[in-house]
Amino acid sequence: GENVEQHPSTLSVQEGDSAVIKCTYSDSASNYFPWYKQELGKRPQLIIDIRSNVGEKKDQRIAVTLNKTAKHFSLHITETQPEDSAVYFCAANPQGGSEKLVFGKGMKLTVNP
Amino acid sequence: GAGVSQSPSNKVTEKGKDVELRCDPISGHTALYWYRQSLGQGLEFLIYFQGNSAPDKSGLPSDRFSAERTGGSVSTLTIQRTQQEDSAVYLCASSSRGTNSGELFFGEGSRLTVL
């Protein structure tokens, strides 16, 4: 089945720095790759997603890149702010059409003021 | 309601007891998911419903776990003879997309503690 690996597991940056979170997946048929943000004590919420027909997508300070050949995708956050501190989860859909999302173990980002 | 509602928000039970967790999805959302989040772990898929049927229940850890959905709306996750390793936050999510992957809207979760 689909295996989604996420690294690093924790990252600490200074406010204003950039942060990059990387994920790899195993199922070459996967075609949908969302990123969810979970603030402490809150529910996970979608922040950005990308489909396999594009290589990059941007939304203000966040961007996601996808390399289908290498089966990895990354989340980039620029000009980090303390409110970006949270756990970030990547996910992929196995078999490319299934409604199921397989999530990575998450990365805890801390932005120090 | 405006969002996915889960109850109870917190449940403490003794080992061996049965528990029921409830999820009320966003009105009109046909897809419903249950995930489990253990401390420091990711989101572990348990089961997925499309309408009242469960096309994928591959994530249920054992036959002590079962789930049902009635009327295409409310879902109940039941854990029988609870064990300490069942302690986790159980998250429900719903989605409006049919056969195409789309945003999952999560509830606040039900935190289960098995003593």
Side-chain angles (χ1 to χ4, degrees):
Chain A
E2 174 77 279
N3 186 39
V4 177
E5 300 283 343
Q6 190 169 347
H7 53 95
S9 58
T10 62
L11 179 63
S12 183
V13 299
Q14 290 300 121
E15 183 176 359
D17 287 352
S18 294
V20 181
I21 310 165
K22 300 178 182 180
C23 280
T24 60
Y25 62 98
S26 60
D27 187 343
S28 57
S30 295
N31 60 11
Y32 176 66
F33 309 93
W35 287 88
Y36 281 77
K37 175 184 179 183
Q38 186 177 31
E39 297 177 11
L40 188 62
K42 300 285 183 63
R43 69 190 79 190
Q45 291 188 297
L46 178 71
I47 54 170
I48 194 168
D49 57 13
I50 191 168
R51 298 183 187 275
S52 59
N53 56 343
V54 297
E56 182 176 359
K57 184 176 178 181
K58 292 184 73 172
D59 183 3
Q60 299 182 336
R61 293 188 298 110
I62 59 173
V64 57
T65 58
L66 171 65
N67 183 328
K68 285 218 72 177
T69 303
K71 289 190 284 188
H72 68 71
F73 55 113
S74 301
L75 178 71
H76 306 252
I77 307 174
T78 58
E79 301 170 33
T80 53
Q81 300 167 3
E83 53 264 39
D84 294 330
S85 296
V87 177
Y88 291 82
F89 294 97
C90 61
N93 63 332
Q95 298 167 23
S98 165
E99 282 296 325
K100 181 169 80 176
L101 282 179
V102 175
F103 285 84
K105 290 192 181 301
M107 190 215 73
K108 183 178 180 181
L109 175 65
T110 303
V111 180
N112 300 302
Chain B
V4 177
S5 178
Q6 291 188 246
S7 61
S9 56
N10 253 296
K11 176 72 176 179
V12 180
T13 190
E14 294 179 345
K15 178 181 171 181
K17 295 286 178 68
D18 297 351
V19 296
E20 281 190 356
L21 308 176
R22 177 190 166 104
C23 173
D24 204 338
I26 293 173
S27 178
H29 279 193
T30 58
L32 185 147
Y33 309 77
W34 284 98
Y35 283 86
R36 179 168 71 174
Q37 186 172 28
S38 302
L39 187 63
Q41 297 298 307
L43 300 168
E44 178 190 3
F45 171 81
L46 297 179
I47 188 169
Y48 151 64
F49 288 92
Q50 181 62 254
N52 290 336
S53 64
D56 192 339
K57 53 180 76 171
S58 61
L60 294 178
S62 73
D63 58 8
R64 296 186 296 105
F65 288 72
S66 63
E68 65 175 15
R69 188 180 186 194
T70 55
S73 180
V74 172
S75 176
T76 303
L77 177 68
T78 302
I79 309 173
Q80 296 178 309
R81 306 181 302 281
T82 52
Q83 304 294 311
Q84 289 182 332
E85 60 263 29
D86 299 334
S87 296
V89 175
Y90 290 82
L91 288 163
C92 175
S94 69
S95 172
S96 63
R97 300 292 284 270
T99 56
N100 296 312
S101 296
E103 181 173 2
L104 300 189
F105 293 85
F106 283 88
E108 296 280 4
S110 292
R111 180 177 297 277
L112 174 66
T113 303
V114 182
L115 301 177

